[in-house]
Amino acid sequence: MRKYLWGFQLALSNEIIYRWNFFFGRLREILVYIALVFVYTAIPQGVGSYTQQQLLSYLLLAAFVSSITFVYGMYAIGDEIVEGDLTNYLVRPINYLGFWASRMFASRFLLLIGGALSVLILLALFPSLSLPHPPSLFAIGAFIALLVQSLIMIQLIDFIGGTFSFWTYRSHGARWFITVIIQFFCGAYLPIKAFPHWVATILSATPFPSLVGLPAEAYLGLIESNQFLAIFLMNIGWIIILGTILHTLWRRGIKTYGAYGK
Amino acid sequence: MANNTALTKHARIWARSAALTFARTTQSRLDFYMYVGGKLLRMGFFFVFAFSLFSNTQELGGYSKHAVLLFFATMNIIDILGQLLWRGIAIMPQMVRKGTIDALLVKPMSPLFYVATHLFDFWDLATLPAGIAFLAYAFHGLAFSATQMLLWFALLFFGLIAALAINILIAAVSFWTTQMENLYWLYRDLVYVARFPPTIFPPAIRFGLTFVVPILIITAFPTQALLGTLPLRMIAWAIVATVCLWILATTAWRAGLKRYTSASS
């Protein structure tokens, strides 16, 4: 366990060393949300079944949740596989993905603070915005439960993206494709239910709405208890599916791994 | 005669670089399809997003659905053309940091030309037909005169030059500090968010995006001219600002080159 704690501490130090990257990352994200606040403010009628007030509250929640989810280790993992650095881990008594999970946990931990800061900055910039209190204890519980599931799912997807490098050179395209889908179709900028019906239907058959949209909706009390149970169980199903895919890809990838470059 | 020779030489360099980039980008078919697929999905998102915004309303910032789609589609075309023509500028900070720019400086060609054009973006070329279809759909629901259409083309051209100038300016900053890679991505984000009709932003932001960091010249002016909502003085400003940006960018580039001391080679 201690070695994974070291991984956590190492990643934490790394993030703190590259403060400018952290600062610019936050700034870029806030910029997008500032623009969206202006867009939704210009539509008093709301979008889809969402009122304008609900949309703006949703945006604050999405800004917070997406800040924790939109961080990836797959590019570095892919590089380590291609450059042969993976060997350094394989010869040690350490679980490579476990070590990376602890590193990513550190990044997400810092981004938790960054995400809260983003929300505070948005609230300061737009006095008309307000973060609503969760309507019930159930909403808080549902939010936390779905957020934890979201973090597990994003980590599994992230690792799956990293394993592509076992087969294609660096596989930047595949990883970029994954990040585009996550960024635009997880409900970070618009609630899934506000998309046209056919788009929402397709997306609801994927794990992506569970990454940002559903936790945000849970916090706002837009998910009933019976709906929550169905979403919770569906997420467990996705975690099992994604975990199985990762396990299979990793096992097969390790067999093809040639440690080129070392 | 000498100018013609230089032009032919640079055209040949561009063609050779494009051929090399093609070989590199198609090295992995999976990667190629994924990049193109991702870019199409992103374009599709903006299309669907614009549609969603109009589920309960007929206008956004005073513009109809097709007009908003035109803002998105025009910016999309500028973005694609920019990526096709000067994608290489994005990796300029990396070139300075690694010292790979040294090899360019000793060659008999314009380093700026090579840096800007050495990565012809075939992924974006593959998305160009979809971008044009997006544009055609937006045009379909709008009425405009031939003069407005001409103005759209002219401001599209100025928008492209202004975008290139800003890209050169950002690249030139790399000569002073290699920690500014994020500045390029910040600019890209700014361009992304400024593709909404400018009327949704408060006057202070509109002023800033027109006169301080003139992003709206690139993202909004061509569409506003086509829709007849751009005052004549703003058309004049677009020309003046583009010329000023170009002078500033090329001056900064030359000053940066003079200041450059090989980093690691």
Side-chain angles (χ1 to χ4, degrees):
Chain A
M1 192 62 196
R2 272 180 66 187
K3 51 200 172 196
Y4 299 106
L5 265 174
W6 273 108
F8 178 86
Q9 283 174 358
L10 207 70
L12 215 57
S13 316
N14 246 342
E15 292 282 351
I16 292 165
I17 287 170
Y18 297 108
R19 285 185 288 267
W20 277 107
N21 281 345
F22 185 78
F23 168 75
F24 270 106
R26 297 297 78 229
L27 188 65
R28 290 179 58 194
E29 205 168 284
I30 288 175
L31 206 64
V32 174
Y33 282 101
I34 288 174
L36 287 174
V37 171
F38 286 127
V39 172
Y40 295 147
T41 306
I43 312 173
Q45 301 90 335
V47 178
S49 58
Y50 277 74
T51 64
Q52 188 187 47
Q53 196 50 50
Q54 280 176 327
L55 267 179
L56 292 170
S57 302
Y58 176 92
L59 215 52
L60 286 175
L61 261 300
F64 176 72
V65 178
S66 64
S67 68
I68 319 168
T69 42
F70 289 1
V71 55
Y72 308 101
M74 57 180 155
Y75 291 94
I77 292 172
D79 286 347
E80 285 184 345
I81 292 171
V82 167
E83 285 162 16
D85 291 330
L86 174 64
T87 313
N88 296 335
Y89 296 90
L90 296 179
V91 294
R92 287 173 192 165
I94 195 167
N95 180 309
Y96 179 72
L97 292 181
F99 186 70
W100 259 102
S102 64
R103 289 176 69 171
M104 292 309 296
F105 183 61
S107 298
R108 293 186 204 285
F109 176 74
L110 262 184
L111 287 167
L112 191 79
I113 301 163
L117 266 175
S118 300
V119 173
L120 287 176
I121 291 169
L122 284 171
L123 286 170
L125 287 175
F126 299 97
S128 60
L129 285 185
S130 64
L131 188 65
H133 293 291
S136 63
L137 269 177
F138 167 75
I140 300 175
F143 169 69
I144 293 170
L146 293 184
L147 187 64
V148 170
Q149 286 186 322
S150 154
L151 293 177
I152 296 170
M153 277 191 275
I154 190 73
Q155 201 50 68
L156 291 171
I157 295 171
D158 185 25
F159 286 158
I160 287 171
T163 60
F164 291 151
S165 284
F166 283 121
W167 295 279
T168 67
Y169 181 70
R170 293 197 190 270
S171 63
H172 281 313
R175 284 195 288 270
W176 191 73
F177 185 78
I178 292 173
T179 54
V180 166
I181 296 186
I182 292 171
Q183 188 183 1
F184 293 108
F185 297 101
C186 69
Y189 306 135
L190 184 73
I192 301 295
K193 285 177 198 161
F195 278 102
H197 184 65
W198 65 273
V199 180
T201 309
I202 293 172
L203 289 178
S204 62
T206 71
F208 303 113
S210 299
L211 300 179
V212 175
L214 292 175
E217 284 182 17
Y219 181 95
L220 295 172
L222 299 171
I223 293 176
E224 303 286 332
S225 55
N226 56 336
Q227 280 176 306
F228 167 75
L229 192 67
I231 292 166
F232 188 81
L233 291 175
M234 187 187 69
N235 283 353
I236 289 178
W238 278 121
I239 289 170
I240 293 169
I241 291 169
L242 291 169
T244 310
I245 293 172
L246 175 63
H247 181 71
T248 311
L249 287 176
W250 184 258
R251 227 181 35 194
R252 290 191 180 180
I254 281 292
K255 280 181 189 165
T256 62
Y257 176 61
Y260 300 112
K262 290 281 153 185
Chain B
M1 188 67 186
N3 276 347
N4 266 347
T5 316
L7 211 64
T8 314
K9 183 176 76 179
H10 281 86
R12 283 179 62 193
I13 292 168
W14 178 84
R16 193 73 208 126
S17 302
L20 287 170
T21 312
F22 182 76
R24 202 165 45 239
T25 47
T26 52
Q27 198 177 14
S28 160
R29 277 189 202 172
L30 177 73
D31 248 20
F32 184 82
Y33 293 136
M34 288 289 189
Y35 264 118
V36 174
K39 281 173 189 278
L40 289 174
L41 265 180
R42 189 176 57 182
M43 199 189 299
F45 168 80
F46 282 108
F47 194 70
V48 170
F49 183 70
F51 261 90
S52 309
L53 294 180
F54 284 89
S55 57
N56 300 337
T57 184
Q58 296 298 312
E59 54 100 23
L60 177 67
Y63 290 96
S64 69
K65 181 161 75 180
H66 276 270
V68 171
L69 281 173
L70 188 65
F71 274 104
F72 280 30
T74 302
M75 191 49 228
N76 203 36
I77 287 292
I78 292 179
D79 201 30
I80 291 175
L81 292 177
Q83 290 291 96
L84 285 181
L85 299 173
W86 59 75
R87 184 185 168 80
I89 281 191
I91 62 159
M92 174 68 190
Q94 203 181 315
M95 291 173 89
V96 172
R97 203 172 48 243
K98 288 184 177 171
T100 47
I101 200 165
D102 297 10
L104 302 180
L105 298 178
V106 293
K107 286 178 182 153
M109 64 176 173
S110 156
L112 176 57
F113 174 83
Y114 182 81
V115 167
T117 62
H118 77 285
L119 288 177
F120 185 81
D121 196 331
F122 284 94
W123 302 312
D124 268 294
L125 185 67
T127 64
L128 192 58
I132 292 170
F134 186 177
L135 194 64
Y137 181 83
F139 270 131
H140 178 65
L142 298 165
F144 45 83
S145 66
T147 317
Q148 285 169 316
M149 189 71 195
L150 270 176
L151 269 177
W152 182 78
F153 270 115
L155 286 170
L156 203 66
F157 171 77
F158 280 107
L160 270 170
I161 301 294
L164 174 60
I166 293 175
N167 273 275
I168 293 172
L169 203 56
I170 294 170
V173 174
S174 319
F175 288 118
W176 279 271
T177 167
T178 51
Q179 297 302 312
M180 293 309 279
E181 219 157 348
N182 283 303
L183 196 63
Y184 172 77
W185 296 110
L186 197 63
Y187 157 75
R188 295 272 301 161
D189 286 338
L190 207 57
V191 164
Y192 261 91
V193 300
R195 65 183 62 194
F196 291 102
T199 40
I200 65 158
F201 299 112
I205 292 186
R206 276 209 303 269
F207 180 88
L209 291 177
T210 305
F211 299 106
V212 184
V213 188
I215 299 279
L216 289 183
I217 289 176
I218 308 163
T219 60
F221 278 22
T223 305
Q224 283 183 294
L226 186 93
L227 299 170
T229 58
L230 190 70
L232 202 63
R233 63 177 188 283
M234 283 298 151
I235 296 174
W237 168 244
I239 298 166
V240 170
T242 304
V243 172
C244 290
L245 270 174
W246 185 257
I247 293 169
L248 183 68
T250 46
T251 309
W253 175 267
R254 278 195 294 269
L257 266 186
K258 272 185 195 163
R259 192 186 183 279
Y260 176 67
T261 49
S262 176
S264 38
S265 305

